[in-house]
Amino acid sequence: VGERDPFDMSAELLKGVQDAGLAEALERHRGGEPVDELLARFLKARGGDKTKALAMLKEDLEWREKNSVHLVRTYSSRDVLEVDKFPNGKQKHDEIFRHGFLGYDKQGRPIVYKWYNKNYIIPFAEGLDAEVLARYNTWMVERLSALMDDRGQWIIIIDLDDYSVRMAGSGNLRYCKSIADVDAKHYPERLGRIFIINAPSLFTLAWRIIASWLDPVTRAKVSLLGHKAWRQPMGEIMDLDL
């Protein structure tokens, strides 16, 4: 028996979404991504298994509806960090978590840079608990999706130059797991590569824990690189002078 036609599988998946009463939600949340590309992402994430892909897509759409995720990208960072309630929160947040859009790699994929201060210990200020920080991560990912018109993949650079073993505490690890779960469930096949750079040997134990949460495909996309060791592999896919 030959392989099934991907078009037929996508059509069956779409019918499953319609039968579940989620067709309008699909339209509301797909952004600029064509329906066939969205369905293909979820099918690929579940190894071509239509039943598993449908369950994943239904869970995703229900999550997006419940949390009005299509509106999240329209907020400012001040909105997400609730500056009106916690006036000093954003300044503190930006001091210990420097991040931003660097540009595009050689394949045209957007690159996001994240640097964590050694004092990034959750919760690290009033109004900056794990729930708020997880919401901020969703906001960043949604803004990144909008930048791509909701198509393609992205590159993430995580700089651990200021890493401290205190950052591997239970609060931080729970936060890492929560955002890893959200990204895996709701942004399938969006990740191109993750470069964890300037990683000290102290990070090895924390990485073993984090890696255990990731599926094999995602783990294969992560490069753990020490000081200066990142220049050659990263230089293969992007301009290091960005």
Side-chain angles (χ1 to χ4, degrees), residues 187-200:
Y187 301 95
E189 300 302 316
R190 285 295 189 215
L191 178 65
R193 294 283 299 276
I194 293 181
F195 293 97
I196 302 177
I197 67 173
N198 298 320

Side-chain angles (χ1 to χ4, degrees), residues 16-28:
V17 170
Q18 294 167 338
D19 290 346
L22 292 168
E24 290 185 7
L26 180 68
E27 281 300 307
R28 188 160 34 248

Side-chain angles (χ1 to χ4, degrees), residues 85-122:
K85 290 171 60 176
F86 307 104
N88 299 321
K90 186 176 187 309
Q91 179 181 347
K92 179 66 174 176
H93 176 266
D94 292 349
E95 286 174 357
I96 64 176
F97 177 45
R98 300 173 193 166
H99 55 290
F101 168 63
L102 293 185
Y104 298 90
D105 75 351
K106 295 175 182 178
Q107 296 182 40
R109 298 175 294 187
I111 305 167
V112 172
Y113 173 83
K114 302 179 180 182
W115 175 90
Y116 295 88
N117 181 283
K118 63 185 176 184
N119 294 315
Y120 194 97
I121 312 295
I122 299 173

